């Protein structure tokens, strides 16, 4: 048997149903008067025994019906909560559960009505109480289920949006986007394929790997602007004319002229590291940057 979605009987939804159903029933009974309490005989022994007017008795019975209904629903839903902690409940079982709630309330209403209406048989009263109880509960139950389903769909959509946002963030983190001086994106390359960026007058020459071969493209911008875009990454400035991807460095060597790094690819120039950036580059390579 197909299990009913667990969100239908989760605790918060059960509490919402316990609160909403009696409120709706109170409004329904007050407006439509399905149980015809106003026809209670003035001479009924119940009025004499309680020493109250018919109007007060009608109000007491109405409130009593609501409290009884709320108690039945609360106890039933508490039992359902305990039952569903270790097992699932199918659609058939759930419908049967609701049917039991309705039967119990109809029986209680029948017993109460027998004290106020002696002109009808118990069978007739129970039948009428059952039909009216079904009508009173059907609308709020359906409304609750529609609300629960809508609420669950909203939560699912929110979760999907969050996942998409996370995926987009991860995608953005996986790619490096290079913009021109007008702020338009001119190149998007995977981070592990970007080798270095070289200043070329009013342009930046971007070196990257494509099909296992080094490529380069010119983008009109300054190296300083591009360096700001790449802050807090392993793509760091090492010279006034160069930005390098520290993750792709193969060799770092010291010569008389200074320190140079190699990428181990034919056609890709060795890049000098100026004294200004030696300390920061060493920290990045040692894993000291956060």
């Amino acid at each position: 048997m197909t299990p009913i979605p667990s969100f239908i009987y989760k605790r918060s939804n059960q509490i919402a149903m316990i609160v909403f159903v009696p409120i709706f029933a109170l409004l329904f009974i007050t407006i439509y008067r399905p149980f015809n309490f106003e026809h209670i005989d003035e001479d009924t022994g119940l009025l004499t025994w309680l020493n109250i007017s018919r109007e007060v008795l009608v109000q007491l019975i109405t409130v009593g019906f609501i409290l009884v209904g709320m108690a039945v629903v609360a106890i039933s839903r508490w039992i359902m909560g305990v039952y569903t902690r270790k097992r699932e409940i199918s659609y058939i079982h759930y419908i049967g559960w609701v049917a039991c709630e309705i039967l119990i309330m109809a029986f209680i209403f029948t017993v109460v009505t027998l004290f106020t209406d002696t002109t009808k048989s118990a069978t007739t009263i129970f039948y009428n109480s059952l039909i009216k109880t079904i009508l009173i509960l059907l609308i709020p139950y359906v409304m609750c289920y529609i609300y629960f389903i809508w609420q669950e769909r909203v939560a699912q959509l929110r979760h999907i949006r969050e996942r998409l946002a996370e995926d987009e963030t991860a995608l953005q983190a996986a790619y490096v986007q290079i913009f021109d001086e007008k702020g338009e994106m001119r190149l998007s390359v995977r981070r592990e394929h970007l080798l270095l960026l070289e200043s070329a007058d009013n342009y930046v020459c971007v070196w990257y790997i494509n099909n296992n071969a080094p490529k380069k493209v010119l983008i009109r911008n300054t190296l300083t602007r591009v360096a700001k875009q790449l802050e807090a990454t392993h793509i760091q400035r090492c010279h006034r004319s160069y930005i390098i991807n520290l993750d792709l460095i193969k060799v770092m060597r010291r010569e008389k002229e200074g320190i140079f790094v190699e990428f181990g690819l034919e056609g890709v120039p060795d890049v000098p590291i100026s004294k200004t950036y030696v300390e920061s580059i060493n920290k990045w390579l040692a894993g000291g940057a956060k």
Side-chain angles (χ1 to χ4, degrees):
M1 290 181 288
T2 304
I4 195 169
S6 59
F7 68 84
I8 292 292
Y9 51 80
K10 73 178 183 179
R11 186 175 181 181
S12 59
N13 287 342
Q14 298 286 48
I15 294 175
M17 178 173 283
I18 292 171
V19 173
F20 175 72
V21 171
I23 293 175
F24 182 91
L26 176 61
L27 294 175
F28 188 91
I29 293 174
T30 301
I31 295 173
Y32 293 100
R33 302 181 183 275
F35 293 102
N36 299 318
F37 295 144
E38 65 274 12
H39 298 303
I40 295 176
D41 192 347
E42 290 282 2
D43 298 327
T44 181
L46 188 60
L47 291 174
T48 304
W49 180 63
L50 295 174
N51 193 25
I52 56 177
S53 65
R54 184 176 63 183
E55 289 74 17
V56 174
L57 180 60
V58 169
Q59 294 175 357
L60 288 176
I61 294 176
T62 301
V63 173
F65 269 40
I66 300 305
L67 293 178
V68 169
M70 187 174 185
V72 171
V73 174
I75 295 173
S76 173
R77 298 295 156 157
W78 176 77
I79 296 174
M80 181 183 291
V82 175
Y83 179 82
T84 54
R85 286 176 185 173
K86 296 182 179 180
R87 59 184 65 85
E88 294 180 327
I89 184 171
S90 68
Y91 282 95
I92 295 177
H93 289 153
Y94 189 81
I95 293 172
W97 202 297
V98 172
C100 289
E101 292 176 351
I102 294 174
L103 287 172
I104 292 172
M105 282 186 271
F107 175 77
I108 295 173
F109 297 162
T110 299
V111 173
V112 174
T113 306
L114 285 173
F115 287 97
T116 61
D117 189 351
T118 59
T119 62
K120 298 177 182 177
S121 66
T123 303
T124 301
I125 293 175
F126 178 76
Y127 176 78
N128 292 334
S129 297
L130 181 61
I131 297 301
K132 292 172 181 177
T133 302
I134 292 174
L135 293 175
I136 290 173
L137 295 182
L138 181 62
I139 297 175
Y141 272 33
V142 171
M143 290 175 66
C144 284
Y145 298 147
I146 292 175
Y147 173 74
F148 296 157
I149 293 171
W150 171 81
Q151 191 179 46
E152 182 68 13
R153 294 295 179 268
V154 170
Q156 290 176 353
L157 287 174
R158 187 187 305 115
H159 179 68
I160 292 173
R161 292 192 187 99
E162 291 174 353
R163 289 290 302 273
L164 289 175
E166 291 175 359
D167 292 343
E168 184 177 356
T169 301
L171 187 62
Q172 290 176 350
Y175 283 80
V176 177
Q177 294 181 334
I178 309 298
F179 298 84
D180 63 16
E181 61 183 1
K182 296 180 180 179
E184 296 181 358
M185 196 272 291
R186 307 299 298 178
L187 178 67
S188 180
V189 58
R190 288 194 65 87
R191 191 174 298 273
E192 64 270 22
H193 292 168
L194 180 63
L195 295 169
L196 63 99
L197 297 92
E198 181 181 4
S199 177
D201 294 329
N202 295 325
Y203 291 84
V204 173
C205 180
V206 183
W207 292 77
Y208 61 95
I209 301 172
N210 188 21
N211 293 327
N212 297 319
K215 305 286 183 180
K216 61 180 179 179
V217 62
L218 286 176
I219 297 176
R220 188 173 182 85
N221 205 340
T222 66
L223 202 65
T224 300
R225 291 198 193 102
V226 175
K228 289 181 179 179
Q229 301 171 14
L230 303 175
E231 289 178 348
T233 71
H234 269 207
I235 303 171
Q236 289 288 306
R237 193 161 190 170
C238 65
H239 189 276
R240 63 184 179 87
S241 298
Y242 293 96
I243 295 174
I244 58 175
N245 186 347
L246 300 178
D247 292 331
L248 298 185
I249 293 176
K250 301 298 183 182
V251 176
M252 177 182 287
R253 70 178 192 275
R254 184 183 295 274
E255 297 184 355
K256 294 181 180 180
E257 296 82 2
I259 299 174
F260 293 84
V261 295
E262 301 177 14
F263 292 95
L265 293 171
E266 185 178 353
V268 178
D270 297 344
V271 178
I273 299 179
S274 64
K275 295 180 179 180
T276 305
Y277 298 98
V278 169
E279 185 177 353
S280 61
I281 294 298
N282 284 333
K283 284 183 178 180
W284 276 103
L285 292 175
K290 301 294 184 180

